[in-house]
Amino acid sequence: MARIAVIGAGTGAMAAAARLAAAGHRVAVYERAETYGGAVRRFERDGFGFDTGPGLLHLPAVFRDLFLKTGKEPLESCVGLSQVDPASRHLFADGTDLSLPAASRAGVVRALDAALGAGAGERWSGLLGRARETWEATRRPLLEEPLPHGGTAAPERGPRPPSRAGRGLFGLRRARPPRSLAELARRELRDPRLAALLESHALAHGFDPGTVPASAAVLPYLEHTFGSWYVRGGMRALAEALYERCRARGVEFTFGAEVTGVLVEDGRAAGLETADGRRVEAEVVVSGVDVRLLYGGLLPPEAGAPSPPRPSSGPPGHGRFGLLLALRGARPEGTAHRTVLHAADPEAERAGLAGDFARLCDRPTVTVLRPGDPGLLPDGRHETAVLSVTVPPHASGETAAEGTLDWTAGDRAERFADAVLAAAGKAGLDLESRVLWREIRTPADTERETGAPGGSVPGPALAGAGGAFLHAGNRAGVEGLYLAGGSAHPGGGLAHTGMSGALVAGLIVNGDDWRGSH
């Protein structure tokens, strides 16, 4: 039984802590904030409640496995879980209105043909069919196994082509495969609305469709195959259930305890040091904080970084802008849980993500979540809506990185909120006239609450692009130090961070030769 110290109480860190405690280890978690959950938080005011992080869960099997392996009560006995149906509604700039059913491939094909014209469903279904091949080829190394020591190995190929002679990636008669998801969409889908549908899945995960590899086509495949799920009471209820599971397994939590250093003795992690001068001895350390913080300040310089330094080579994450609306009037019957308002000018949107901030406030892609959850409302005469947009991260300090934006400058956040609300109105959603009050959340708020530099939100690991969309390996460059959370393998998102906790626990319990689950 080892003494294990965990830095941070985010989803990945708690997933590792629960599994390690269930395996018989003594686990203590040190969190600088006064609460758990990392980015999975809830904002409450006047009887209204809002998720300020992820609002939907994909791949719920990750948490079903976690709760099964760490206690007698399954996930569904700890939280109310329901599949979102329709899966999503899409409103395009030309007025097209599309609703996609859940768990029905044939239904999706029919809906696409009806809204976009005959053949649209077949093209979309064909693309997802080939994305399935990518999923099957990359699932184990990208999700179920730790990266090889050093953190560089990964599937370099993108989605496998259909077995037709003379065809390239995704069956295209071209010598060069598409360099990005946006290029893939233009080539294969041949309809700007279908292209926007594909690209919106990348944006929802914080990726720029113009730079993310074509392998990101697995993202809509996963949604269509495994569904989108809502936790009653919001995603914060899932964080609460995970925290309680950790407590039930004997995990100790210390909040308001900022870790300022990882102790290293004889080349091995030996514990932690906190801001109040406390030294915590441990035989194993699990870091759940952003790897840039770990290697940029928590580890002593002589400890060094892994070779090659994967923590600095991962993709720069974009941020998330959120507009929380408390609305007069009950949720209209038939309202979709999730509505995506597609950008009027996708090229301008990509330019804004790339640094052309003068065009940032053009009608962006906006995701609108309207759960209609009675537990998050003061009464049945009101409704909540959360509008979110993928945006550049916050310009943090005097050494702000290129491609960041100072979200605290002047009235920038207010003006962008106005633009987002106006975009909803132009798309036909009557929200502005019903607003009681609104709360704005920017990447600066994310940085303040989670410590992630710039408030960037890491995306899931993706194949291709020379490994540029991989994350830090779960074994650090110091023996006895392991990495979990969104900036570690296999990346960001609730399910992926849960997987990172499983990988770390497997490495600690079973040793470095452990290759993951089957």
Side-chain angles (χ1 to χ4, degrees):
M1 182 173 69
R3 293 171 298 171
I4 300 176
V6 180
I7 309 173
T11 305
M14 288 198 293
R19 289 177 180 272
L20 290 167
H25 295 287
R26 291 168 50 195
V27 184
V29 176
Y30 298 85
E31 167 60 52
R32 74 183 187 97
E34 297 297 334
T35 188
Y36 50 83
V40 185
R41 299 198 177 205
R42 179 187 294 141
F43 178 82
E44 296 178 325
R45 173 180 163 188
D46 301 338
F48 293 89
F50 305 84
D51 281 323
T52 60
L56 293 173
L57 174 65
H58 308 296
L59 293 172
V62 172
F63 290 94
R64 290 192 178 109
D65 180 74
L66 170 61
F67 277 75
L68 178 67
K69 299 288 177 57
T70 60
K72 297 179 180 179
E73 303 83 10
L75 175 65
E76 277 82 352
S77 71
C78 300
V79 298
L81 197 61
S82 59
Q83 188 169 14
V84 174
D85 194 9
S88 55
R89 180 189 182 196
H90 296 263
L91 301 177
F92 298 92
D94 69 349
T96 301
D97 189 335
L98 166 68
S99 287
L100 297 178
S104 173
R105 183 169 181 173
V108 168
V109 170
R110 287 193 297 269
L112 287 168
D113 282 347
L116 307 183
E122 182 181 356
R123 292 196 301 277
W124 180 257
S125 181
L127 184 143
L128 292 193
R130 294 189 288 282
R132 176 183 177 180
E133 298 176 15
T134 299
W135 165 251
E136 292 174 345
T138 62
R139 176 177 178 171
R140 281 189 61 79
L142 279 186
L143 299 180
E144 298 177 351
E145 296 180 349
L147 290 180
H149 198 61
T152 56
E156 287 301 318
R157 60 181 180 272
R160 283 191 177 276
S163 55
R164 288 176 284 179
R167 302 248 170 169
L169 186 70
F170 273 109
L172 298 169
R173 292 187 181 277
R174 297 175 185 268
R176 180 181 64 77
R179 292 192 177 96
S180 68
L181 189 71
E183 185 178 346
L184 169 69
R186 289 194 302 270
R187 285 191 189 182
E188 177 139 335
L189 297 176
R190 304 191 304 276
D191 183 313
R193 296 164 299 179
L194 272 182
L197 176 61
L198 178 62
E199 292 180 17
S200 69
H201 287 83
L203 287 166
H205 289 273
F207 292 124
D208 178 351
T211 58
V212 73
S215 63
V218 298
L219 300 175
Y221 166 76
L222 293 179
E223 266 197 44
H224 282 265
T225 304
F226 301 106
S228 301
W229 298 77
Y230 178 69
V231 176
R232 188 168 58 246
M235 288 302 117
R236 180 64 180 178
L238 179 63
E240 291 168 354
L242 181 52
Y243 170 70
E244 292 301 332
R245 177 54 55 89
C246 286
R247 293 278 305 276
R249 298 282 73 81
V251 177
E252 298 178 0
F253 286 82
T254 303
F255 296 106
E258 181 180 0
V259 174
T260 55
V262 174
L263 302 176
V264 178
E265 297 178 0
D266 299 324
R268 181 180 179 87
L272 308 175
E273 202 166 38
T274 62
D276 60 3
R278 187 184 340 175
R279 290 173 61 89
V280 178
E281 294 184 354
E283 295 159 82
V284 175
V285 174
V286 176
S287 173
V289 301
D290 191 292
V291 295
R292 291 169 291 182
L293 299 177
L294 175 69
Y295 286 98
L298 299 187
L299 275 174
E302 61 271 17
S307 179
R310 287 238 44 90
S312 63
S313 60
H318 293 290
R320 184 170 292 123
F321 181 95
L323 182 59
L324 319 181
L325 302 180
L327 302 173
R328 303 181 187 89
R331 182 177 185 258
E333 189 173 350
T335 297
H337 188 120
R338 174 175 55 176
T339 300
V340 180
L341 317 177
H342 291 274
D345 185 348
E347 292 292 337
E349 180 171 46
R350 288 196 289 271
L353 289 174
D356 184 1
F357 303 136
R359 305 172 73 181
L360 184 63
C361 290
D362 290 349
R363 285 174 60 182
T365 299
V366 182
T367 299
V368 183
L369 297 182
R370 301 170 71 178
D373 188 336
L376 300 179
L377 297 170
D379 52 54
R381 302 186 303 276
H382 294 88
E383 186 191 1
T384 62
V386 177
L387 284 63
S388 61
V389 183
T390 295
V391 295
H394 177 56
S396 184
E398 295 180 359
T399 58
E402 182 180 355
T404 60
L405 189 65
D406 186 355
W407 283 100
T408 63
D411 61 349
R412 172 171 284 140
E414 290 286 347
R415 287 189 291 107
F416 192 64
D418 291 341
V420 169
L421 199 52
K426 291 174 182 175
L429 297 186
D430 180 21
L431 300 177
E432 191 166 9
S433 65
R434 298 174 53 203
V435 174
L436 277 171
W437 50 263
R438 71 186 194 183
E439 178 74 15
I440 297 172
R441 309 279 301 179
T442 75
D445 297 304
T446 305
E447 181 182 58
R448 173 174 47 81
E449 291 179 350
T450 69
S456 59
V457 179
L462 295 171
F469 287 80
L470 299 179
H471 297 266
N474 304 110
R475 285 168 294 209
V478 175
E479 190 174 351
L481 177 61
Y482 297 84
L483 311 181
S487 63
H489 180 68
L494 279 171
H496 287 70
T497 56
M499 293 176 202
S500 77
L503 292 173
V504 164
L507 287 168
I508 293 172
V509 172
N510 299 303
D512 280 357
D513 291 333
W514 179 73
R515 295 304 302 158
S517 70
H518 293 279

